Amino acid sequence: TDTDLFKPNKDVRYSVRQEHCISGNDFVVIYTGKLIESKGAKLLANAFKNKLTNMRGKAVVLLCVGNTEGIYGNQVEEIFLGSENRVIRFPTQNYRNLSKFYQAADISVFPKECSLSFFDAQACGLPVVSEDNSINVDRLQNNNGFNFESGNIEDFRNKILRCVETDED
């Protein structure tokens, strides 16, 4: 991770949110990566299909940075289009342009395979929600995020909601 690029930045956070009409009160979840089966794209899309209602009354917004392809990709896009939550889609970005998306977010999610992007998200100060495989359990052993039961949409949603409802401090 290039920590000259990937670090918390309140000015960038504000400008990206303003540019995309995201309220300062909205809770922003970021996913970066290919939207393919091995990365759990349908799990992600289905987790955001129904409204993520929380005790704090915050709107939950998904910033989704990555491309889809083929029939599977079309199915993912269709689920996103029917989402009761706001989903803002961006195509795959070059590495130098990715930091601003993390800086605008509140948490980062990895529905399946967790890539080295985990470290980019952490460098920007984001907690991570990822499946409970051995690598992710080890990566999140310092209370820097939450693991959900692999493939369990409800547990995935519950871990996201736990982050929404946790005090920012």
Side-chain angles (χ1 to χ4, degrees):
T1 295
D2 181 345
T3 54
D4 288 332
L5 286 174
F6 293 89
K7 59 187 174 189
N9 187 318
K10 290 185 184 214
D11 293 333
V12 172
R13 177 183 176 87
Y14 176 78
S15 68
V16 170
R17 284 176 172 240
Q18 186 175 35
E19 179 182 351
H20 298 287
C21 300
I22 301 169
S23 161
N25 191 47
D26 291 347
F27 189 87
V28 178
V29 178
I30 186 165
Y31 170 82
T32 59
K34 295 176 185 173
L35 289 156
I36 57 177
E37 190 168 1
S38 65
K39 296 280 189 180
K42 278 189 184 176
L43 180 71
L44 174 69
N46 282 315
F48 281 84
K49 184 176 180 177
N50 296 321
K51 186 99 174 140
L52 283 156
T53 304
N54 58 84
M55 304 288 281
R56 298 182 82 138
K58 290 182 173 255
V60 178
V61 177
L62 174 64
L63 290 183
C64 189
V65 182
N67 294 337
T68 58
E69 55 186 47
I71 294 169
Y72 182 89
N74 291 339
Q75 292 168 346
V76 170
E77 295 289 1
E78 190 173 316
I79 297 167
F80 280 144
L81 286 173
S83 178
E84 294 175 2
N85 301 283
R86 185 167 177 215
V87 177
I88 306 173
R89 294 277 291 109
F90 298 93
T92 299
Q93 303 287 309
N94 84 31
Y95 183 73
R96 297 192 60 76
N97 200 38
L98 269 177
S99 61
K100 70 180 184 182
F101 295 102
Y102 289 110
Q103 291 161 338
D106 295 295
I107 66 167
S108 181
V109 296
F110 296 91
K112 268 195 159 228
E113 295 175 352
C114 190
S115 67
L116 294 177
S117 298
F118 168 89
F119 299 105
D120 298 334
Q122 292 274 279
C124 288
L126 299 181
V128 169
V129 174
S130 59
E131 72 172 345
D132 63 353
N133 65 42
S134 61
I135 293 170
N136 294 341
V137 168
D138 187 51
R139 285 180 174 176
L140 295 178
Q141 67 182 343
N142 297 309
N143 296 320
N144 49 334
F146 301 95
N147 293 120
F148 67 93
E149 182 184 333
S150 183
N152 185 329
I153 292 173
E154 282 310 307
D155 194 34
F156 187 28
R157 286 173 53 86
N158 287 338
K159 294 303 189 299
I160 292 168
L161 286 169
R162 183 172 176 185
C163 292
V164 175
E165 293 175 351
T166 299
D167 186 275
E168 288 180 30
D169 293 332

